[in-house]
Amino acid sequence: MLLRLRRGLPGTQTDSILALAKELGYRARFLEGSNGLLHLEGTGKPEHRSRFEDCAGVEAILDAGDARERHERLPGQPDTVVAVGDARFGGGQVALIAGPCAVESGERLLEIARAVQAAGAVLLRGGAYKPRTSPYSFQGKGEEGLELLARARAETGLGIVTEVLDPRDVEKVAEVADMLQIGARSMTNTPLLAEVGATGKAVLLKRGFSATVREFLLAAEFLLARGNARVVLCERGVRGFDKTTRNLLDVGAVAHMKLATHLPVIVDPSHAAGRSELVRPLARAGIAAGADGLIVEVHTATSEARSDGAQAISAEVFAAIAKDTAAICAIDRRTLVRPHASPARA
Ligand code: PEP
Ligand code: MN
């Protein structure tokens, strides 16, 4: 590992860095004439990098050596492929998740589920617990919503992606969900990350709207450190200075993360756009940047949606997105995972 120490560091701070290096089993040596470059020789562990980052006297970690964190891609390391129901994310396989923002009624959910399945979705999304900006907005149907999701899965065979907001609800939500969503507002909720990490369930981790890529990857690290390797990262746009779009879809971060981590990365064009007419072009951009899938908000009566109606698209537009995705996958020699026929219609 190679550290750059701050200039003019008091001897006591240098001593405490050297003591920490010794405690972690490294042999430390200042590089000659380097003005504060400290080389640590020894066997690195993922947790060591953060230990040194927390030292006041360490300005930067120039090379983490083999103290790599669990999310990092080692040279030549293949993608981690996360399997959820019929979906596969990573390793050249691309899968589509679609459904309403929130579970509204059993009939509506089933209608949307059938429509998105026919159009190419392999997993059904829908929030039973909704993280809303206002306490007066629809907060989701809670347990009733979970029951409706379970029924939709039984009817269609689609795996379920749904958000868990409260660490106390993890067990209950995990009984129904095939993939637990941790929303943008919860990305830094470390007790929730720890609880979800302990379930071993697949996780859809969304990037916080003001989180740096490093903060996002360290949130994933909380899940991995709890022994859950089934983590899919979701870029859903970050807050920009301009309200023309709801958020700024960071396609650069998608391209970067496909190199920097072995974990699958998907894109949510709906929350990035905030406007239905922009969802399809952003979906194309996400897949073209290398995303391993999409999560899209679809509604069969967009004007009646109880949350995020402005960004809801019809099943027809979603079908066009699925076609675009297949076309981009063909260029990249990747495969779009296709839905099986529903048990009800098979
Ligand atoms: C959602 O998926 O409905 C949601 C609330 O997304 P985000 O956490 O990205 O805002
Ligand atoms: Mn939403």
Side-chain angles (χ1 to χ4, degrees), residues 8-92:
L9 208 58
T12 48
Q13 279 198 24
T14 309
D15 288 348
S16 65
I17 293 165
L18 293 174
L20 176 62
K22 194 168 172 204
E23 180 198 322
L24 298 177
Y26 291 97
R27 256 180 303 129
R29 137 186 106 80
F30 282 99
L31 297 187
E32 241 170 79
S34 68
N35 217 349
L37 290 187
L38 185 64
H39 183 250
L40 303 181
E41 204 183 302
T43 311
K45 288 206 178 129
E47 54 271 29
H48 291 177
R49 179 173 172 174
S50 296
R51 292 289 298 274
F52 285 109
E53 271 176 346
D54 288 341
C55 289
V58 174
E59 189 171 76
I61 310 231
L62 300 177
D63 182 352
D66 54 1
R68 286 194 174 83
E69 290 153 343
R70 290 167 174 83
H71 65 265
E72 282 182 70
R73 193 194 285 276
L74 299 170
Q77 185 180 350
D79 283 5
T80 289
V81 179
V82 174
V84 188
D86 291 334
R88 300 287 178 275
F89 300 97

Side-chain angles (χ1 to χ4, degrees), residues 101 125 130-131 163 181 183-185 206 236 268 271 297:
C101 176
R125 65 148 291 147
K130 292 304 303 173
E163 176 157 358
Q181 175 171 323
R185 290 159 190 78
K206 301 188 95 178
R236 45 78 76 208
D268 173 347
H271 291 86
E297 287 188 349

